[in-house]
Amino acid sequence: MTVTDTPCDTDTSTDTDPTTTTRHRRAFALLGSVQITLIFTLAAIAVPLPEIGRAFGLERADLILLSAAYGLTFAGLLLFGGRLSDRYGGRRALTAGLILFAAASAAAPFAPGIGPLLAARFAQGAGAALTAPAAMGVLRAVFPAPTAYGKAMATWGGLSVLGATAGNLLSGVIAELLSWRWSFAVPMVVALAALVLAPRLLPDTPPSRGRALDLPGALLATAGITLASYGLVVTDALPWSSAGVLVPLLIGAALLIAFWYAERRAGDPLLPPRFLLDRRRALALAAIAFSACATAMTFVTLSLHLQQDRGWSPLRTSAAFVPFAIALLTSGRAAGPLTARFGPRLVTAAGLATAGAGLVLLALTGLDPHTPYASALLPGLVLLPAGAAASFAGAAVLTTHGVPHERTGLAGGVLNTAMELGPTVVFAIVLTFGSDAVSLATTGAALALVATLNLRVQRSRPSRPSSLPQGATQ
């Protein structure tokens, strides 16, 4: 799958104009590259994290915080970023987010210690939280017709897992050949290029001046998501009964409950409760969260296993995931046409089941250091990404289907929040179930359960897969 392969036809007469199609493809390529880079940055220091710890003399708790810093602000600010995008216009919000993201990426490699590096990672996450939903808002303006937008979203759904895969693969290569500091060159260059190209390739998007910002809701959501996520992340270093876990976890949960009640009373809520109460959208978001958890868990678990148990180098560890990337690209390329033919819910369910089978295989055979790579690890490393790419594609269409133009930023914020909370909240909870093998198998079973629920909801309405929007209403 490449970002230039997305279908760009629309329901207007301009479809027959080759320059219009080219302009659509270039716009999608730019926005897709930005989305891939935002997720790439999340994983950019995953493999070289031990090297950073040695360079700065960090303890395990410091490394955990450094690893989570970008994701904490990214996830915590996404809903507010979506509201800012809807309020001030997608392209304006995209430009502001890219400026902050590029500045933080430029500062990070020069950090002399853990403090400045943490600040840069937090700032990167804040810029990403504004950029991600804004990119989806602009995408809606590039493809205003429902059919074209649905096809674009089917491809868009797989870009995040592609970014995570690229981050894990390239971070090991960069750390081995150059230095971990060079990992920040990729997001900086992409952000600067996007700032230059955006005025030429992207349409302007009108703001919704009549909408309030809902600052109380934004503060409650940001603080609640950030504190609860942090409390779950540090369970890797602290026991669940410790104050370092319970205090942020309980305060975060209380703030999220307060946010839910505040949104029910707000005249123009940041996140309308009915937006999440739709069964089809809720299951699509669950599919995104669990698929993101599955891919993140596989990278973390197998990276540690290969380097600690088998004694592999970071470069060889990255090379072990090359089949993962190939399967991901192949499945992502096929996901769009399959979604158009069979409907997004069926593709989502099939993808979840396939990814779950891959996780179970890895749990049963992949963590024994004495088993061969080809027979023990490779089957799971092919099935998991093939299924994850399909489930992301179908679930992205389901999450955004039927959303009015003025709430595209909201849909982008919710979709990306699910994608960020999967590797933090769901991952932290699953890790408490026992060994790595048990955690992998449990996540595989959860994927199968979500797949079954998606199929049950699908049967509640007649299936009409002849076109993408019809399939999206299944």
Side-chain angles (χ1 to χ4, degrees):
M1 176 185 64
T2 62
V3 294
T4 58
D5 288 334
T6 182
C8 295
D9 56 292
T10 67
D11 294 342
T12 66
S13 60
T14 58
D15 292 350
T16 58
D17 183 355
T19 59
T20 301
T21 301
T22 299
R23 185 169 65 251
H24 288 180
R25 290 181 180 275
R26 289 174 178 172
F28 187 91
L30 176 60
L31 293 171
S33 297
V34 168
Q35 177 69 6
I36 289 172
T37 302
L38 297 181
I39 308 301
F40 169 93
T41 306
L42 183 68
I45 62 171
V47 175
L49 201 60
E51 180 184 340
I52 298 174
R54 290 190 294 269
F56 292 150
L58 303 180
E59 301 292 335
R60 180 177 177 83
D62 296 325
L63 290 176
I64 292 172
L65 180 58
L66 179 60
S67 176
Y70 177 84
L72 287 175
T73 49
F74 194 176
L77 289 167
L78 268 168
L79 290 178
F80 189 49
R83 171 53 61 91
L84 289 174
S85 174
D86 290 336
R87 174 69 174 79
Y88 295 106
R91 203 176 82 178
R92 293 176 182 84
L94 180 73
T95 300
L98 285 172
I99 290 173
L100 177 57
F101 184 74
S105 300
F110 299 100
I114 181 63
L117 185 57
L118 271 175
R121 290 291 280 175
F122 281 127
Q124 275 186 317
L130 183 55
T131 302
M136 284 187 59
V138 177
L139 184 70
R140 185 69 174 268
V142 174
F143 301 99
T147 300
Y149 180 63
K151 291 178 179 178
M153 283 307 304
T155 302
W156 186 269
L159 298 183
S160 294
V161 69
L162 177 59
T165 303
N168 283 279
L169 286 175
L170 294 180
S171 63
V173 175
I174 293 172
E176 184 87 7
L177 301 180
L178 298 170
S179 164
W180 61 267
R181 296 180 184 271
W182 282 94
S183 298
F184 295 99
V186 175
M188 181 184 67
V189 170
V190 172
L192 291 175
L195 284 169
V196 172
L197 295 173
R200 306 179 195 177
L201 299 181
L202 303 181
D204 198 8
T205 49
S208 301
R209 295 293 184 185
R211 306 202 61 196
L213 287 178
D214 188 16
L215 290 177
L219 290 174
L220 288 171
T222 299
I225 291 173
T226 303
L227 284 172
S229 299
Y230 174 78
L232 288 168
V233 165
V234 296
T235 57
D236 191 48
L238 301 173
W240 279 84
S241 58
S242 66
V245 172
L246 289 178
V247 171
L249 195 59
L250 293 176
I251 294 177
L255 290 173
L256 289 175
I257 293 172
F259 167 71
W260 181 260
Y261 280 100
E263 295 302 275
R264 294 179 63 184
R265 298 172 179 269
D268 188 10
L270 182 72
L271 176 61
R274 63 179 178 273
F275 188 85
L276 295 181
L277 293 178
D278 180 272
R279 289 184 302 166
R280 291 161 180 77
R281 183 173 290 118
L283 283 172
L285 292 171
I288 290 171
F290 277 101
S291 296
C293 171
T295 54
M297 176 181 295
T298 300
F299 276 118
V300 172
T301 301
L302 293 187
S303 293
L304 293 175
H305 166 71
L306 293 174
Q307 294 181 71
Q308 294 177 354
D309 299 337
R310 302 199 182 202
W312 289 18
S313 68
L315 184 60
R316 189 180 179 188
T317 299
S318 293
F321 286 97
V322 169
F324 186 105
I326 294 173
L328 178 71
L329 291 168
T330 304
S331 178
R333 188 179 182 89
L338 289 174
T339 302
R341 181 175 181 182
F342 297 106
R345 201 165 304 279
L346 185 59
V347 171
T348 301
L352 289 168
T354 303
L359 281 180
V360 171
L361 280 177
L362 289 173
L364 294 176
T365 63
L367 299 182
D368 184 347
H370 303 293
T371 56
Y373 169 83
S375 60
L377 284 169
L378 188 57
L381 285 176
V382 171
L383 287 176
L384 172 61
S391 65
F392 273 118
V397 176
L398 293 168
T399 301
T400 55
H401 175 69
V403 176
H405 285 261
E406 64 272 14
R407 291 199 181 272
T408 304
L410 166 66
V414 171
L415 187 151
N416 282 280
T417 299
M419 201 170 295
E420 292 302 311
L421 293 182
T424 53
V425 175
V426 180
F427 192 3
I429 293 174
V430 171
L431 285 178
T432 64
F433 293 156
S435 65
D436 289 341
V438 173
S439 298
L440 289 171
T442 302
T443 307
L447 290 172
L449 176 60
V450 177
T452 302
L453 292 174
N454 269 275
L455 287 176
R456 287 177 63 87
V457 172
Q458 181 185 17
R459 293 193 188 101
S460 66
R461 286 188 179 183
S463 177
R464 295 185 300 170
S466 58
S467 68
L468 191 63
Q470 293 171 337
T473 62
Q474 290 176 1

